[in-house]
Amino acid sequence: MSGNLLQYETSPYLLQHRDNPVHWRGWNEAAFAEARQLDRPVLLSIGYAACHWCHVMAHESFEDEATAALMNRLFVNIKVDREERPDIDQIYMAALHALGDQGGWPLTMFLTPTARPIWGGTYFPNEARYGKPSFRQVLTEIARLYAEDRDAILAQADSITAHLAKPRPDAGSVPLDEELLDRAGDAILNIMDREKGGTRGAPKFPNTPVLDFLARCHERTGRADLAAIVDTTLAGMSQGGIFDHVGGGFARYSVDAEWLVPHFEKMLSDNGLLLERLALATRISPRADLFRDRIETTIGWLLREMQLEGGAFAASLDADSGGGEGRFYVWRRAEFDALLGPDDAAFIAALYDITPAGNWEHVSIPNRLATPESLGAADDLRRRRILAELRVARDQRPRPALDDKILVDWNGYAIAGLALAGQLLGEPLWVAHAETAYRFITESVARDGRLGHALRAGKMVHPGFSSDLATMAHAAFALHQATQRARYVADAIRFLDDLDAHHRTADGGYHLTADDGEAVIIRKSDRTDDATPNPHGLAADTLIRLWAYSGDDRFRARADAILAGSAANIVANVFGTASLLGALDLRLRVRTVVIIVPPGTTGRELRAVVDAHWRSDIVLDLRDDGDLLSPAHPAFGKSAIESRATAYVCQEGRCSLPVTEAADLAALLEGRAGTVWSPA
């Protein structure tokens, strides 16, 4: 079969390549059957729609007739969207790591016709330079080795595949305790940039699992240095060019050590996770007003530019537009002078570092790194008005491409972020948008009650991966905490039960792929975080919350099995297992605040105290008097006092004495209440 077949795909990334002279195929059995029939190796190219270097390699090589002719003559060529098929991406990225390469995208791998990895790399230039061979040289050499040294090639493929299938190391008797959490917090703190935030040097990534773990360590220990690094990192991102000050939303990462110059693509996953982290930070940070502003503008961007028909959210916005990277987002001082009056132009240019010389490649990236974090009320109102004018003007520029596929896991992050931000900042409309997106995902990206992974143009990737089930369980429980609607707890349990039924490994963990999903050469069950939390960490966290909410020890036992099975990974790589460490922290100190509401009362005042004192270890259970808890719950049998809304704080199998006054509940949550535990 000849010709480029990507016209029959639905992924925006694959469709970007449908007019290439390369005879691309999607990932399917027909492509590998063709390779076996022709006795050719497979060239696998993995990327995503917002990937700048993927575009560069496409322009240099995949759009080049001579290079395409070489690819078509020597290989069967397969294109994969890593966001649509993370199972494929994880396998071959692990193979590249096994070859000693740091990895990245575009991921370029050469495979046998049976999908075993031979060799690979990332971006290859069209001409040899800086010690790196040209892509055409690589193509020719791999094809020659496959034809002339087949036994060695197949032996290497067998060796790499065997390496990928190696069992996880035994943790031995590693204690999962506070001492491990303290050591991990110190180890991570030692590689952080105390002045600018993030890890030392460049590039700088948001890395929300690490920030979340460090924040939890601060909550547990009260250490100011841990709070400071989280606060500094969030402030650096909020003030830097990585944040889109005109339109809202955070870019994928900063290429420099200052948070100034972003890699301009915006991903739904990053922004959902940052909404949640920023919302939590508003409870403890002196920069709460700054973080609230960034939450508001990011949600404005999500609803304006990313929300699709039906209420779910698109995956990403490209870095490139108008023929270059970041052109949609940068400004020249002359544009300000032309768009705004001289006074407004001078005011906003000084505030956002817009200079005639520019701060990046002769243009300016708006940022607040060198200006005050807060302004007076009049100046702040003026700032908002001018930014709205600039956004209207910017919208006339060629826009970055929107990858409008719907990813279940990434929507889960956005749902949880919207739910928590709405709950803590008193914005019920944000919670309503979270519920709308959740409804679309559970009704339209599912089949026979089981979640899928991706949807676009009526085509679904199904069944979903462990990441989808773990993230949506997390999102469901976040919606329960915001709304106290019991159906969300039931959904969280159902998603985690599906995870156990179809993804369970022998050591208490989860394969990424389902047992009835498409067969792949290795069913990965990695424990390390990526740009997003690992499914094991998310699942353990939600299981612990379900245990605290219900008192049902089966949830605790499942969380404990995940943590015990991951102990060796945690000890070997605390930075890469921050989400698991966060779950362990929760396991050791989770608190349930039960508010019992008799008829004629609302419990609103007590709930407001809980929201004002919200920490990552709190589970809220607001229920009517007489609506009994499970007999296994420590608050079982407790009731309202004197027909007033009554709170109990339960931890480690015991509950506090009842409190009915807001001030008393605040003192209890702050640890100022003295000995208030009821007798056992």
Side-chain angles (χ1 to χ4, degrees):
M1 187 184 296
S2 61
N4 187 328
L5 304 183
L6 296 187
Q7 61 183 307
Y8 302 110
E9 301 291 332
T10 57
S11 157
Y13 174 64
L14 300 188
L15 292 173
Q16 287 175 359
H17 295 269
R18 63 187 165 187
D19 296 323
N20 292 168
V22 178
H23 294 171
W24 290 118
R25 280 88 178 88
W27 178 279
N28 52 56
E29 173 53 31
F32 285 98
E34 181 181 356
R36 292 192 294 272
Q37 178 186 355
L38 297 174
D39 191 25
R40 290 182 188 171
V42 169
L43 190 160
L44 173 64
S45 177
I46 303 178
Y48 56 99
C51 167
H52 172 70
W53 285 102
C54 299
H55 299 329
V56 172
M57 190 166 177
H59 177 68
E60 290 179 348
S61 295
F62 304 150
E63 296 171 10
D64 178 70
E65 294 284 351
T67 303
L70 195 61
M71 294 170 66
N72 296 336
R73 179 167 60 85
L74 299 177
F75 299 92
V76 171
N77 304 289
I78 296 177
K79 258 286 176 197
V80 166
D81 180 341
R82 70 172 293 255
E83 296 166 357
E84 188 177 65
R85 293 300 303 269
D87 53 334
I88 305 303
D89 180 60
Q90 282 196 15
I91 290 169
Y92 295 105
M93 187 61 75
L96 188 60
H97 292 162
L99 291 165
D101 194 302
Q102 184 177 353
W105 296 275
L107 172 58
T108 307
M109 289 297 295
F110 297 94
L111 316 179
T112 70
T114 56
R116 289 174 296 165
I118 297 170
W119 187 80
T122 52
Y123 162 78
F124 290 100
N126 62 333
E127 300 292 340
R129 57 178 178 264
Y130 306 121
K132 193 160 187 148
S134 74
F135 188 47
R136 277 178 283 187
Q137 288 174 323
V138 170
L139 295 172
T140 303
E141 182 63 10
I142 293 293
R144 184 191 69 77
L145 289 170
Y146 189 80
E148 299 177 6
D149 204 356
R150 182 74 57 90
D151 289 344
I153 285 287
L154 296 180
Q156 173 151 313
D158 288 343
S159 176
I160 297 171
T161 305
H163 175 81
L164 298 179
K166 282 197 308 186
R168 202 175 329 282
D170 184 5
S173 58
V174 175
L176 299 175
D177 55 16
E178 288 195 359
E179 184 181 349
L180 173 60
L181 295 175
D182 290 340
R183 292 200 312 270
D186 286 338
I188 294 173
L189 191 59
N190 284 337
I191 63 171
M192 302 297 280
D193 182 339
R194 305 288 186 102
E195 181 184 355
K196 303 292 184 182
T199 53
R200 293 177 188 160
K204 285 190 185 294
F205 288 83
N207 208 321
T208 47
V210 165
L211 292 179
D212 187 65
F213 171 61
L214 292 176
R216 293 184 191 212
C217 285
H218 160 68
E219 291 175 7
R220 179 174 52 83
T221 65
R223 284 176 51 180
D225 54 348
L226 294 167
I229 192 62
V230 176
D231 205 55
T232 299
T233 301
L234 292 176
M237 286 190 286
S238 295
Q239 296 291 77
I242 189 174
F243 181 74
D244 178 4
H245 294 268
V246 173
F250 292 86
R252 172 78 279 271
Y253 65 93
S254 171
V255 303
D256 65 339
E258 309 293 320
W259 299 110
L260 172 63
V261 182
H263 217 312
F264 289 91
E265 68 263 39
K266 293 183 189 175
M267 321 300 281
L268 178 64
S269 52
D270 294 320
N271 283 277
L273 289 163
L274 282 167
L275 284 178
E276 196 167 5
R277 184 67 255 154
L278 287 165
L280 285 164
T282 64
R283 303 298 88 175
I284 60 174
S285 173
R287 293 176 160 118
D289 290 342
L290 169 66
F291 297 154
R292 174 162 191 144
D293 179 87
R294 302 308 186 255
I295 290 169
E296 290 173 347
T297 49
T298 295
I299 291 176
W301 163 72
L302 279 175
L303 300 179
R304 186 178 63 250
E305 298 188 33
M306 302 298 284
Q307 194 168 40
L308 303 172
E309 185 178 355
F313 296 96
S316 66
L317 280 173
D318 206 334
D320 295 10
S321 60
E325 183 185 5
R327 290 191 179 180
F328 185 74
Y329 300 103
V330 298
W331 296 85
R332 299 180 187 277
R333 175 59 198 268
E335 292 178 282
F336 276 28
D337 294 336
L339 287 169
L340 310 168
D343 291 342
D344 280 352
F347 169 78
I348 207 73
L351 194 59
Y352 284 95
D353 189 26
I354 311 299
T355 65
N359 56 31
W360 176 68
E361 297 186 358
H362 311 296
V363 293
S364 292
I365 301 167
N367 72 91
R368 295 278 300 279
L369 289 168
T371 56
E373 289 184 8
S374 59
L375 303 172
D379 279 346
D380 195 56
L381 190 63
R382 184 184 186 189
R383 174 187 72 89
R384 292 171 183 266
R385 173 183 59 78
I386 297 171
L387 290 179
E389 292 179 35
L390 291 174
R391 180 170 60 80
V392 170
R394 194 180 74 174
D395 284 345
Q396 307 309 307
R397 298 175 178 178
R399 296 188 61 83
L402 176 72
D403 184 336
D404 62 353
K405 68 175 175 290
I406 296 169
L407 297 172
V408 169
D409 49 358
W410 289 15
N411 269 269
Y413 301 130
I415 291 163
L418 285 165
L420 185 65
Q423 173 191 341
L424 298 189
L425 301 184
E427 296 285 354
L429 185 59
W430 297 349
V431 179
H433 281 295
E435 290 192 281
T436 299
Y438 180 90
R439 188 179 309 115
F440 183 91
I441 294 296
T442 54
E443 293 177 357
S444 300
V445 199
R447 187 178 298 150
D448 300 325
R450 283 181 65 188
L451 291 172
H453 170 66
L455 177 70
R456 186 177 186 274
K459 182 178 178 181
M460 189 191 311
V461 176
H462 190 275
F465 302 112
S466 62
S467 55
D468 301 300
L469 290 164
T471 306
M472 284 299 289
H474 171 72
F477 200 82
L479 279 173
H480 171 266
Q481 296 292 274
T483 67
Q484 292 295 302
R485 294 188 178 108
R487 68 173 182 269
Y488 292 123
V489 170
D491 280 356
I493 293 170
R494 176 168 59 89
F495 297 147
L496 291 170
D497 285 348
D498 282 350
L499 191 59
D500 254 27
H502 295 287
H503 297 261
R504 190 79 170 181
T505 64
D507 62 354
Y510 305 109
H511 294 293
L512 180 65
T513 54
D515 55 2
D516 56 351
E518 179 184 327
V520 289
I521 62 168
I522 298 290
R523 291 182 71 199
K524 299 283 288 176
S525 58
D526 290 347
R527 260 63 166 187
T528 52
D529 302 318
D530 197 348
T532 56
N534 186 272
H536 292 82
L538 278 175
D541 187 283
T542 306
L543 285 164
I544 293 161
R545 295 182 192 279
L546 288 169
W547 168 56
Y549 174 79
S550 68
D552 190 335
D553 280 342
R554 69 190 172 107
F555 299 125
R556 175 195 53 76
R558 286 160 64 180
D560 286 351
I562 294 171
L563 293 171
S566 305
N569 302 84
I570 293 171
V571 172
N573 182 4
V574 293
F575 188 88
T577 56
S579 66
L580 282 160
L581 285 162
L584 173 59
D585 176 276
L586 181 68
R587 171 68 175 84
L588 297 178
R589 64 186 182 93
V590 65
R591 297 178 287 172
T592 309
V593 182
V594 180
I595 302 177
I596 298 175
V597 183
T601 65
T602 65
R604 187 177 299 117
E605 187 178 4
L606 293 179
R607 172 159 190 179
V609 171
V610 178
D611 286 343
H613 291 79
W614 196 267
R615 301 292 184 269
S616 64
D617 64 332
I618 287 178
V619 170
L620 174 63
D621 184 5
L622 185 71
R623 61 179 60 229
D624 295 336
D625 199 9
D627 181 11
L628 293 179
L629 287 152
S630 160
H633 197 282
F636 175 71
K638 298 191 183 299
S639 59
I641 304 298
E642 299 175 350
S643 299
R644 301 177 65 189
T646 304
Y648 299 86
V649 179
C650 303
Q651 187 175 19
E652 296 179 352
R654 58 180 183 167
C655 293
S656 69
L657 293 170
V659 293
T660 57
E661 298 292 340
D664 292 338
L665 179 57
L668 189 59
L669 293 173
E670 293 169 9
R672 297 186 287 108
T675 304
V676 294
W677 298 106
S678 61

